[in-house]
Amino acid sequence: MSDTYYEKTDLLDFPNIGEYACEQGAAFFDYYQKATAASALSEREKSLIALAVAATQHCPYCIDAYTTKCLSLGLTNDEMMEAVHVGASMAAGVILAHATQMRKIIKKKGM
Amino acid sequence: MSPEEQLRVLAESTRIPPIQQRLSESAEFPLRAREVEILQINVGRLCNLSCRHCHVEAGPARSETMSGETFDLCSAVIRSHPFLTVDITGGAPEMNPHLPGFVQRVAGHAARLIVRSNLVILLEPEYRHLIELFARNRVEIVGSLPDYRSGRTDAQRGGNVFARSVEAIRMLNDAGYAADGSDLALHLVHNPVGAYLPASQAALEREYRRALQESHGARFNHLFCFSNMPVGRFLDFLLRTDNYEDYLSTLSSAYNPAAAANVMCKATVSVDWEGRLFDCDFNQVLNLPVDSAAPSHIRHFDMKRLSGRRIVTANHCYGCTAGMGSSCQGATAQSKAS
């Protein structure tokens, strides 16, 4: 064990995440592969979505993997940054939407 | 770095098994050549560009250039083996003064005659006439264009190279290359502008075609995707930017037995500017000549002794066995991506 929780080389261990639950692991990889492969959406579009999700979920492994994949697919820095902004604005919107609860309570309890 | 230093660095990578082990696991070791189908000729290291990834470390200051006598030896081999594909590379092959005469002598004797061009050299007044000479002799052009936009192309190859490359493509189109109904072939080469592997050839070809045709009116036949080999300037880049181990790990993780089974060296002999024989252009740079049981110079070309020879391997070979494979003619394995 190292002294840090996140290590760059952990990404190489991703294929082994089915350890201790092989059936579920295999099912996950089958699903993951189908969900991320080109279909109605292209590989480029799906990779940008994955990059935005990776950033919003703060996953360093996924950010590394999907930034590299986007580069391989010839996506530009601008396109990748725009995808991250979609994720960031969605996250901000989700938080602000939840302020509805706050606003409702303020109105209910206020005089 | 000297060839010896590069080989030492490649051998000392700690995170990957030696390529020979991976080849053994897929029953490909030792790699054996088949009959020679491709004669690749590196006519020198002189180039008008100094690209940041160039494994040959070519540039305007390089003086290595193939002599007329060595060209004559290559011509003799081609004329007596008319089934060969002749694949001319450099440096910028156009800058070798013997190239026009050689092309005229071997055209019609080779199954295919290919010149690998950086494209922009064809805009120079001294070399513009080569477009017509190439067209007249049915030369296939394989032109380097690492990206379909200017930013990354220019970052790798130098300022304004993208715009000049597009201009050269349009000049080739005007000469009949990649034109409707024409058999003059113009292929482009993509290689990543950084420490990552290329995506599928088919996917990138679509983007190139859309961007070049729609935005620039430039046409080409096919796109070939190459991985950058951890050799020469690209190896320097990897080490300088602390990307070396990650890149080698990426190549090793992407090892594909199908790509290993189809590596280009199995059907190729590579001639250097002095006439010495190698298994590939990368082995030239690393000074790894063909196995000692095979003839070592074009003067002694012997199809029988070159066929079945043991191919000399080191860890840079991971570059040709990763993913969909990489060869001088693009991917070597079938892609599942559409």
Side-chain angles (χ1 to χ4, degrees):
Chain A
M1 279 290 285
S2 71
D3 291 335
T4 55
Y5 288 112
Y6 285 122
E7 285 185 79
K8 205 170 174 185
T9 50
D10 289 345
L11 187 54
L12 298 173
D13 188 54
F14 186 61
N16 303 320
I17 57 169
E19 191 177 15
Y20 308 132
C22 295
E23 201 178 321
Q24 293 91 327
F28 162 74
F29 278 116
D30 184 46
Y31 170 65
Y32 182 79
Q33 199 164 22
K34 284 191 173 76
T36 56
S39 186
L41 294 180
S42 69
E43 203 177 0
R44 290 162 64 89
E45 290 162 335
K46 289 191 175 185
S47 295
L48 286 172
I49 293 169
L51 178 64
V53 172
T56 58
Q57 297 299 307
H58 312 157
C59 175
Y61 310 123
C62 305
I63 292 169
D64 186 348
Y66 278 96
T67 301
T68 305
K69 186 161 186 188
C70 287
L71 287 169
S72 292
L73 287 162
L75 288 155
T76 63
N77 305 349
D78 295 354
E79 287 166 329
M80 288 188 267
M81 198 63 208
E82 279 196 26
V84 171
H85 274 295
V86 172
S89 62
M90 281 297 295
V94 166
I95 292 168
L96 291 172
H98 281 77
T100 301
Q101 308 304 323
M102 174 193 77
R103 286 167 37 242
K104 279 177 7 191
I105 293 165
I106 288 171
K107 283 168 189 160
K108 184 169 186 284
K109 295 194 173 173
M111 293 181 76
Chain B
M1 263 193 291
S2 70
E4 295 74 24
E5 285 173 302
Q6 294 185 56
L7 284 168
R8 184 181 49 74
V9 168
L10 287 162
E12 286 176 357
S13 179
T14 52
R15 288 178 14 201
I16 59 166
I19 185 72
Q20 294 84 357
Q21 184 182 321
R22 300 301 292 275
L23 290 168
S24 292
E25 288 162 7
S26 54
E28 287 289 347
F29 187 76
L31 270 181
R32 291 270 176 203
R34 302 190 301 267
E35 186 161 90
V36 181
E37 295 166 17
I38 302 165
L39 189 70
Q40 188 166 65
I41 306 172
N42 189 316
V43 301
R45 299 184 178 183
L46 179 63
C47 190
N48 55 324
L49 302 179
S50 297
C51 302
R52 292 173 66 191
H53 72 302
C54 181
H55 67 277
V56 175
E57 301 187 55
R62 298 302 294 254
S63 58
E64 302 94 329
T65 186
M66 185 174 275
S67 68
E69 185 194 1
T70 306
F71 269 112
D72 288 344
L73 294 169
C74 293
S75 297
V77 167
I78 295 158
R79 292 170 81 100
S80 57
H81 299 84
F83 51 86
L84 287 172
T85 288
V86 176
D87 185 347
I88 302 168
T89 187
E94 295 91 337
M95 295 178 82
N96 187 307
H98 303 290
L99 183 77
F102 177 73
V103 164
Q104 288 171 296
R105 279 201 304 283
V106 300
H109 295 280
R112 287 170 66 199
L113 181 55
I114 300 166
V115 170
R116 293 182 188 273
S117 176
N118 67 31
L119 298 171
V120 297
I121 188 73
L122 296 169
L123 298 183
E124 300 296 325
E126 205 180 335
Y127 302 108
R128 271 182 193 231
H129 71 282
L130 290 174
I131 294 179
E132 196 272 327
L133 180 131
F134 289 160
R136 193 163 14 96
N137 290 283
R138 325 311 287 171
V139 173
E140 286 181 40
I141 308 288
V142 177
S144 300
L145 192 66
D147 201 84
Y148 53 87
R149 285 161 294 202
S150 60
R152 289 191 185 136
T153 298
D154 293 354
Q156 183 179 84
R157 302 180 76 77
N160 210 27
V161 166
F162 177 80
R164 286 154 64 211
S165 300
V166 169
E167 191 182 339
I169 293 170
R170 285 200 299 248
M171 281 171 57
L172 287 162
N173 292 158
D174 290 343
Y177 278 95
D180 288 340
S182 167
D183 63 348
L184 291 173
L186 168 60
H187 306 303
L188 297 180
V189 170
H190 161 83
N191 61 283
V193 184
Y196 51 91
L197 303 184
S200 90
Q201 206 159 267
L204 281 166
E205 185 176 290
R206 271 198 301 276
E207 296 303 319
Y208 266 71
R209 202 175 298 286
R210 190 179 51 75
L212 291 179
Q213 284 190 358
E214 286 178 14
S215 306
H216 303 286
R219 298 184 307 276
F220 65 98
N221 294 102
H222 291 293
L223 181 75
F224 299 152
C225 289
F226 294 3
S227 298
N228 289 313
M229 296 294 142
V231 174
R233 284 193 195 123
F234 190 67
L235 178 58
D236 283 338
F237 161 79
L238 291 174
L239 292 167
R240 196 174 58 247
T241 55
D242 195 25
N243 276 304
Y244 173 72
E245 289 291 351
D246 280 352
Y247 189 73
L248 267 282
S249 294
T250 302
L251 288 177
S252 171
S253 301
Y255 178 83
N256 179 356
N262 290 305
V263 280
M264 184 176 160
C265 52
K266 287 186 173 184
T268 302
V269 164
S270 168
V271 190
D272 82 347
W273 65 281
E274 293 180 294
R276 296 187 303 154
L277 302 184
F278 297 82
D279 294 312
C280 71
D281 206 49
F282 308 106
N283 281 11
Q284 279 193 27
V285 172
L286 295 169
N287 200 21
L288 295 171
V290 285
D291 185 74
S292 56
S296 61
H297 196 276
I298 190 71
R299 188 179 293 113
H300 307 297
F301 186 93
D302 180 333
M303 180 63 84
K304 258 192 184 159
R305 287 174 60 211
L306 286 163
S307 302
R309 73 185 188 277
R310 183 178 171 139
I311 290 167
V312 179
T313 53
N315 280 347
H316 65 294
C317 299
Y318 271 117
C320 287
T321 60
M324 290 304 107
S326 186
S327 80
C328 295
Q329 317 232 356
T332 53
Q334 289 294 309
S335 171
K336 286 181 205 157
S338 57

